[in-house]
Amino acid sequence: MKKSLFILILCLLTFVGCQHKKSDLTEPKTSIQLIDSVWSFGQIQSSSHAISFTFQVKNTGQAPLVLRDLTTTCGCVKLKSYTHSPIPPNGLGYISVKFDPKKSAKGFVNKKVEIHSNAFNFVEATVTGYVE
């Protein structure tokens, strides 16, 4: 009897201990859209100066959009700046990047900018062109 009671109490404590408030685990989710997801800079000489482009980001959800972690797949594409404050529903934000042909291999370029946020969908921006 004591053993059964002990097991029952242990199970209840385990169950109660594993319960989390939904608000503790998640924040409001939203959705994100890139207005233009590809920047094609055309042809550029490898000795040219760095060039910049700004991607527009739209919050297509019902909760504020927060851009968190933006990464690039190459040292030739650098993040210049982006919208740090929450983007309201239907609002626009930006992600500004620069491409430095001096840090790129010659030939066709196809690099990604990964955009991590509180959106349920994942988007990437693409930087393409040709370095001579």
Side-chain angles (χ1 to χ4, degrees), residues 33-92:
Q33 174 189 6
L34 283 170
I35 303 301
D36 291 312
S37 63
V38 178
W39 169 37
S40 179
F41 59 80
Q43 288 186 321
I44 192 170
Q45 295 294 318
S46 62
S47 59
S48 296
H49 294 290
I51 52 177
S52 298
F53 184 79
T54 300
F55 293 97
Q56 284 193 319
V57 177
K58 183 171 184 178
N59 180 354
T60 55
Q62 300 299 316
L65 172 67
V66 179
L67 303 178
R68 285 214 179 87
D69 182 32
L70 289 85
T71 57
T72 61
T73 57
C74 177
C76 59
V77 177
K78 294 287 185 185
L79 180 67
K80 286 178 59 178
S81 62
Y82 65 95
T83 303
H84 288 276
S85 58
I87 303 166
N90 294 314
L92 293 175

